[in-house]
Amino acid sequence: MGKAKNLQTGHIGLNVTDLDRSLAFYCEVFGFEVLAQGKEEGRRWAFLGRDERLVVTLWQQSEGAFATDRPGLHHLSFQVDTVEEVKDIEEVLRRLGAGFAYDGVVPHGENTSSGGIFFTDPDGTRLEIYAPTGANPAHAPTENAPTCGFF
């Protein structure tokens, strides 16, 4: 069995139905910059990141909406430093008309201080932006289950 000393997520690749729409969403919400882009018809894609570090890749090669009833990706989670940053991003999302799983910033579980917002991108992919502290003293939206379960 192999062991990597410093294993970490490299980047996340997402299938999208409309690259232009998803590019606008991810750049505005997350502040990503376009690091590279493929514009050839039938092979449209974009590499998004910050400070030259690749974070998300978008691939225009799907139809329909994100299927929550199929095996595979459950949700993507991004951490920021403060709950104030979470609230700032929530304002952007509300202006864009994003769908939310819960109303406002909620804790990850009852009596926890970490928490954030839970929402979907234009294709219905479930996303989370959270801070490690500052979500208390609010009650968790789902009793006896992690909030990030999108129950």
Side-chain angles (χ1 to χ4, degrees):
M1 180 163 151
K3 287 187 179 181
K5 282 187 170 184
N6 187 17
L7 182 65
Q8 55 186 311
T9 302
H11 68 271
I12 299 155
L14 297 175
N15 281 340
V16 299
T17 59
D18 182 330
L19 184 64
D20 295 330
R21 179 180 68 174
S22 293
L23 260 175
F25 179 86
Y26 280 89
C27 289
E28 183 153 358
V29 172
F30 294 96
F32 290 139
E33 54 196 62
V34 179
L35 303 177
Q37 190 170 1
K39 298 181 181 184
E40 180 185 337
E41 196 55 43
R43 294 181 184 270
R44 298 196 62 219
W45 53 271
F47 287 4
L48 307 177
R50 285 184 165 181
D51 303 320
E52 302 297 318
R53 184 180 163 275
L54 181 62
V55 179
V56 172
T57 61
L58 302 176
W59 306 91
Q60 184 173 299
Q61 52 183 233
S62 63
E63 295 178 2
F66 179 72
T68 60
D69 63 344
R70 302 279 191 276
L73 179 70
H74 182 272
H75 75 284
L76 301 178
S77 176
F78 296 90
Q79 180 180 325
V80 295
D81 292 333
T82 67
V83 75
E84 287 74 23
E85 290 174 275
V86 174
K87 290 177 181 177
D88 289 344
I89 295 168
E90 178 187 8
E91 285 183 32
V92 172
L93 288 163
R94 291 202 185 279
R95 185 171 33 78
L96 294 173
F100 287 84
Y102 314 109
D103 188 32
V105 175
V106 295
H108 280 127
E110 206 59 40
N111 300 315
T112 61
S113 123
S114 68
I117 53 177
F118 301 83
F119 58 98
T120 56
D121 78 358
D123 287 309
T125 301
R126 296 185 292 200
L127 301 165
E128 167 189 3
I129 297 177
Y130 77 96
T133 61
N136 55 337
H139 289 290
T142 306
E143 192 174 329
N144 299 321
T147 302
C148 59
F150 284 80
F151 293 107

